[in-house]
């Protein structure tokens, strides 16, 4: 019997939606410095598939790992967590 493989999920903020059906998501995480022990913020950008072009800059979204859509895009936006606040 085969078990369903769990897909990795990450939470981040949309920093760009200028491409068609693609958003750039900035994911930040805290790691402890190995020598000094201070918590350091590390970040990485991921290209994620957005079929309906529904997400705007500043939205907090959850992305899930999928098959490769292109050379740089192997994540897809799964759900909106928080809508961006506009002034």
């Amino acid at each position: 019997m085969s078990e369903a493989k769990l897909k990795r999920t990450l939470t981040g903020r949309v920093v760009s939606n200028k491409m068609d059906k693609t958003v750039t998501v900035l994911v930040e995480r805290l790691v402890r410095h190995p020598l000094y022990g201070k918590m350091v913020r590390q970040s990485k950008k991921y290209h994620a598939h957005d079929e309906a072009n529904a997400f705007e800059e500043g939205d907090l979204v959850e992305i899930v790992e999928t098959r490769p859509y292109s050379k740089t895009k192997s994540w897809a936006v799964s759900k909106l967590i928080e809508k961006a606040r506009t002034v």
Side-chain angles (χ1 to χ4, degrees):
M1 288 189 223
S2 63
E3 295 181 19
K5 187 174 182 182
L6 296 176
K7 295 188 179 191
R8 294 191 300 162
T9 60
L10 297 172
T11 303
R13 215 154 279 275
V14 176
V15 291
S16 173
N17 64 347
K18 291 175 175 53
M19 296 171 275
D20 186 32
K21 297 185 180 181
T22 305
V23 291
T24 303
V25 179
L26 180 74
V27 176
E28 290 185 333
R29 62 190 187 101
L30 290 174
V31 268
R32 185 174 297 279
H33 189 279
L35 179 61
Y36 300 112
K38 180 178 179 177
M39 296 302 282
V40 181
R41 189 177 309 270
Q42 289 185 344
S43 61
K44 186 171 178 182
K45 289 181 182 177
Y46 296 92
H47 286 163
H49 188 68
D50 173 20
E51 184 65 37
N53 289 323
F55 301 101
E56 301 293 326
E57 288 185 22
D59 290 349
L60 188 65
V61 295
E62 181 180 273
I63 59 176
V64 63
E65 194 174 30
T66 61
R67 66 175 179 83
Y69 285 100
S70 69
K71 180 180 175 181
T72 60
K73 187 167 63 167
S74 60
W75 294 82
V77 179
S78 61
K79 65 179 177 180
L80 176 70
I81 297 173
E82 178 184 297
K83 194 76 176 153
R85 291 183 295 228
T86 56
V87 177

